[in-house]
Structure formats: C-alpha cells, structure tokens
Amino acid sequence: MPRAPPTTTTPDEERRFVRQDVAAERWDVSVDTIRRLVAAGRVTARRLNGRILRVDLAEVDACFVEIPTTQAG
C-alpha cells in the first residue's frame, strides 16, 4: 500500500518567492531598493537558470519595521 505524503512542510515550502517588482510595489519602493536589500544580505533571493530572480516576500516585509510614535497629549 502506498504511503501518504508527509504532512509537515519544510521552511522552503512556507516561503513565498516573488519577482522584485512585486516586492517593490508592495512597499512602494523602487526595484533598486529591493536589489540593495539582496546585495546587503538582508533579503534571500533565489535564481533560476542564471537569469530569473525571486525574493522571499516575508524577508522583505521584515526589513520594514514599525516606528513607535508619541501621541500629543
């Protein structure tokens, strides 16, 4: 009898890789900003066939952090 596929996911399966322009549009920044994040090692990128590049959307999101503000009171 065939075994059922494992129900656990690997970390790579949980990641969502998107084009650089999609990541840039999400945060309203330039593609060059995304490229700089990749070059600095702050965002993981994967290359296919030496040409197509995809970035990890969760890591792009993590680069942008909320800045606490004070309320006038």
Side-chain angles (χ1 to χ4, degrees), residues 43-60:
V43 173
T44 299
R46 299 282 171 97
R47 195 173 287 282
L48 174 66
N49 294 332
R51 188 170 168 94
I52 299 169
L53 191 76
R54 297 292 185 258
V55 295
D56 185 342
L57 193 57
E59 290 184 12
V60 174

Side-chain angles (χ1 to χ4, degrees), residues 29-66:
V29 297
S30 71
V31 173
D32 287 337
T33 298
I34 301 300
R35 289 181 180 147
R36 283 190 292 271
L37 291 170
V38 171
R42 296 183 61 196
V43 173
T44 299
R46 299 282 171 97
R47 195 173 287 282
L48 174 66
N49 294 332
R51 188 170 168 94
I52 299 169
L53 191 76
R54 297 292 185 258
V55 295
D56 185 342
L57 193 57
E59 290 184 12
V60 174
D61 289 347
C63 287
F64 293 89
V65 296
E66 185 175 341

